[in-house]
């Protein structure tokens, strides 16, 4: 477990008077919503006076969350899920305690780095990064225990059973059962402990195999996923179903992001079971070291959109702090940045300085030929976000792997 925190006294001293005034105003607006919810409760027996369902759910959500945190020895308080920290009526800001499941993996380590290096002025945030050593999230009891211990206000849910194409093809049942257990335990524990917001991580492999391109957030459930990884894909789809159900029944604003193919430092570089890019990096490293040809599985023609883990981490933080929809959002480079596996392999060869022969083994499966995703929704929110150029990100990743070869997961 890795913890990034600030003391409460430091938190309360942060910010100037204008900032505190703004926080008071925001807190008062949320307190007004709470009061409106009480008005609705007194009038709900009058059928002629019905509120729109979405307003009811939002008001109930605010009341429930506010009540949860008002129980923490505070005379009056409100919660704004879009604001870092918990806003109290006296203008002070309590800590936003973020629990990251899967915190030792590829994306978790990237978030940890971005929080540490790029989150100045966010002293009100406390971050807890969990690994599988801290709790077995397939156990409901252990999951509740870790929530009881840390009492998070927000959760980034990354923990999952993951693997590359060939491992998915061998173990579809395991991917289904293990991920369903993990996801249900985390979301239910979050609900039981009054977590304000959960951001879960999905994947573009959840989309239908037979579809029109580019795919977008509205198309998740429009047909069966590719047969190679249907267990993992259906388990991840169920997170979206659960998020909608928690909102409908309890007003919880739990959401999910859908990144395209992620790569970067701290990935799993296992050649047999890892994803395409870390597998290529490891095989190229060994081919260069041993003076052998590089063998790439498949034809190299399959297309993918790759996103650097540090870029994804920055977007995760934006979703946690600012994105206020239950509907999921695709986090990806644009359609114009979709690359072939051959192009990616060439970039790895260049980054590692490999000068031997490259052979494509067409007896191995390509998997789904393309999964072109639209990032139009993301661009509506963040039109100026700049992604790290692919070759630069590949070079940084290869350099990290070489420098950390002995300790890297492989």
């Amino acid at each position: 477990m890795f913890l990034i925190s600030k003391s409460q006294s430091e938190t309360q001293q942060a910010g100037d008077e204008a900032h505190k005034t703004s926080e008071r105003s925001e807190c008062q607006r949320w307190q007004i919503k709470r009061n409106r919810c009480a008005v609705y409760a007194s009038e709900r027996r009058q059928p002629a006076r019905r509120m729109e369902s979405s307003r009811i759910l939002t008001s109930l959500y605010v009341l429930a969350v506010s009540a949860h945190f008002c129980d923490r020895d505070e005379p009056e308080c409100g919660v704004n899920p879009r604001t870092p920290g918990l806003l109290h009526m006296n203008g002070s800001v309590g800590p936003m305690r973020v629990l990251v499941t899967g915190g030792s993996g590829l994306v978790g380590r990237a978030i940890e780095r971005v929080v540490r290096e790029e989150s100045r002025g966010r002293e009100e945030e406390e971050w807890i990064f969990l690994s599988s050593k801290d709790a077995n999230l397939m156990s409901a009891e252990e999951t509740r225990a870790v929530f009881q211990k840390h009492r998070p206000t927000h959760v980034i849910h990354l923990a999952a059973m993951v693997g590359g194409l060939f491992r998915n093809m061998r173990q579809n049942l395991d991917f289904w059962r293990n991920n369903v257990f993990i996801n249900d335990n985390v979301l239910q524990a979050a609900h039981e402990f009054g977590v304000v917001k959960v951001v879960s991580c999905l994947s573009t492999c959840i989309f239908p195999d037979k579809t029109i391109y580019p795919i977008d957030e509205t198309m998740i459930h429009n047909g069966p996923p590719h047969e190679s990884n249907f267990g993992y894909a259906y388990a991840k789809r169920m997170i979206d179903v659960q998020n909608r159900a928690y909102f409908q029944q309890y007003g919880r604003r739990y959401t999910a992001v859908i990144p395209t193919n992620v790569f970067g430092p701290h990935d799993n570089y296992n050649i047999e079971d890892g994803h395409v890019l870390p597998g290529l990096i490891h095989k190229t490293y060994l081919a260069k070291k041993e003076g052998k040809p590089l063998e790439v599985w498949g034809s190299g023609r399959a297309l993918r959109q790759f996103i650097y883990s540090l870029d994804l981490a920055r977007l995760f933080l934006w979703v946690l702090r600012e994105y206020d929809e239950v509907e999921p959002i695709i986090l990806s480079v644009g359609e114009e940045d979709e690359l072939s596996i051959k192009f990616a392999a060439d970039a790895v060869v260049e980054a590692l300085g490999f000068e031997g022969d490259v052979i494509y083994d067409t007896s191995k499966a390509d998997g789904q030929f393309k999964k072109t995703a639209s990032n139009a929704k993301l661009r509506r929110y963040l039109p100026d976000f700049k992604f790290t150029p692919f070759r630069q990100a590949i070079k940084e990743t290869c350099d990290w792997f070489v420098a950390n070869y002995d300790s890297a997961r492989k």
Side-chain angles (χ1 to χ4, degrees):
M1 181 181 70
F2 184 82
L3 175 68
I4 301 177
S5 64
K6 296 287 184 179
S7 70
Q8 188 170 359
S9 61
E10 288 176 324
T11 298
Q12 291 175 343
Q13 294 171 2
D16 55 23
E17 190 61 35
H19 183 61
K20 290 181 179 178
T21 301
S22 173
E23 289 171 352
R24 291 191 190 100
S25 299
E26 186 68 22
C27 186
Q28 289 165 358
R29 285 196 289 272
W30 280 84
Q31 193 70 23
I32 289 170
K33 290 187 178 182
R34 230 180 98 185
N35 295 339
R36 285 175 180 167
C37 183
V39 172
Y40 164 71
S42 67
E43 296 179 349
R44 63 181 178 179
R45 293 184 178 86
Q46 302 179 35
R49 302 186 66 180
R50 295 180 178 175
M51 297 171 66
E52 181 182 350
S53 60
S54 62
R55 291 178 59 199
I56 294 173
L57 290 169
T58 302
S59 297
L60 288 173
Y61 161 71
V62 174
L63 177 62
V65 174
S66 297
H68 170 74
F69 286 103
C70 281
D71 287 340
R72 298 185 176 185
D73 301 322
E74 291 289 340
E76 286 288 337
C77 65
V79 178
N80 180 350
R82 295 186 62 190
T83 303
L86 307 180
L87 302 180
H88 305 298
M89 287 304 290
N90 64 4
S92 65
V93 181
M96 184 172 89
R97 192 174 304 108
V98 187
L99 183 71
V100 182
T101 71
S104 62
L106 167 65
V107 181
R109 295 295 291 269
I111 291 174
E112 176 193 321
R113 176 176 166 182
V114 171
V115 168
R116 186 176 60 248
E117 297 179 359
E118 302 179 16
S119 291
R120 294 179 181 176
R122 299 271 183 179
E123 290 83 3
E124 72 281 358
E125 296 179 358
E126 179 180 330
W127 289 79
I128 302 144
F129 294 84
L130 297 182
S131 74
S132 58
K133 296 178 181 178
D134 296 300
N136 174 14
L137 298 180
M138 287 190 288
S139 162
E141 182 179 350
E142 290 193 35
T143 305
R144 290 192 191 97
V146 82
F147 273 74
Q148 175 71 38
K149 177 181 179 181
H150 296 291
R151 291 282 180 170
T153 63
H154 294 65
V155 171
I156 291 180
H157 175 37
L158 306 174
M161 178 183 178
V162 297
L165 170 64
F166 298 99
R167 188 181 181 196
N168 271 273
M169 292 172 67
R170 294 193 309 267
Q171 297 177 255
N172 266 298
L173 178 60
D174 295 338
F175 277 94
W176 159 258
R177 296 187 74 241
N178 293 344
N179 284 305
V180 164
F181 285 141
I182 292 170
N183 299 334
D184 184 57
N185 289 338
V186 169
L187 290 175
Q188 181 60 20
H191 167 63
E192 291 176 1
F193 284 88
V195 170
V196 176
K197 187 171 184 179
V198 179
V199 182
S200 298
C201 190
L202 309 185
S203 166
T204 50
C205 74
I206 71 175
F207 283 95
D209 180 31
K210 308 299 182 185
T211 188
I212 57 174
Y213 293 101
I215 50 182
D216 64 38
E217 294 85 353
T218 67
M219 300 161 64
I220 295 173
H221 304 285
N222 286 1
H226 193 269
E227 63 180 9
S228 64
N229 64 345
F230 67 88
Y232 178 83
Y234 276 122
K236 285 293 188 178
R237 283 188 187 187
M238 290 304 102
I239 291 180
D240 179 53
V241 172
Q242 285 184 269
N243 286 343
R244 294 167 187 266
Y246 277 115
F247 179 73
Q248 181 190 63
Q249 192 163 338
Y250 297 107
R252 294 291 188 197
R253 287 195 174 272
Y254 299 165
T255 190
V257 301
I258 310 172
T260 47
N261 293 61
V262 190
F263 71 96
H266 302 283
D267 208 338
N268 180 359
Y269 296 86
N270 185 286
I271 292 174
E272 296 291 332
D273 295 330
H275 289 105
V276 58
L277 269 182
L280 277 172
I281 290 170
H282 192 182
K283 285 199 289 187
T284 306
Y285 173 87
L286 292 177
K288 178 182 178 181
K289 181 179 179 180
E290 297 168 2
K292 296 179 179 179
L294 169 62
E295 182 182 283
V296 180
W297 292 344
S299 68
R301 293 193 298 268
L303 302 173
R304 296 292 182 266
Q305 288 160 290
F306 294 102
I307 181 170
Y308 192 31
S309 59
L310 294 178
D311 292 338
L312 180 59
R314 296 177 184 108
L315 291 172
F316 249 109
L317 297 187
W318 168 76
V319 171
L320 183 75
R321 294 163 177 163
E322 303 293 337
Y323 182 71
D324 200 29
E325 295 186 34
V326 174
E327 301 292 326
I329 184 168
I330 291 172
L331 303 181
S332 173
V333 298
E335 302 162 47
E336 67 279 5
D337 295 313
E338 188 172 48
L339 308 172
S340 70
I341 299 301
K342 183 180 184 305
F343 183 96
D346 290 344
V348 170
V349 164
E350 178 183 326
L352 288 173
F354 176 72
E355 298 178 351
D357 295 331
V358 180
I359 301 169
Y360 287 84
D361 182 358
T362 56
S363 69
K364 297 288 198 303
D366 280 326
Q368 193 169 0
F369 178 71
K370 64 184 294 183
K371 300 184 282 187
T372 315
S374 169
N375 69 352
K377 183 175 182 178
L378 173 64
R379 284 305 188 190
R380 287 197 296 272
Y381 278 104
L382 297 175
D384 299 322
F385 184 85
K386 289 181 172 53
F387 290 93
T388 305
F390 180 72
R391 289 187 180 275
Q392 175 186 335
I394 284 290
K395 184 68 169 69
E396 291 177 8
T397 302
C398 289
D399 289 347
W400 181 91
F401 179 70
V402 172
N404 296 274
Y405 182 79
D406 290 338
S407 60
R409 288 186 297 160
K410 54 186 183 302

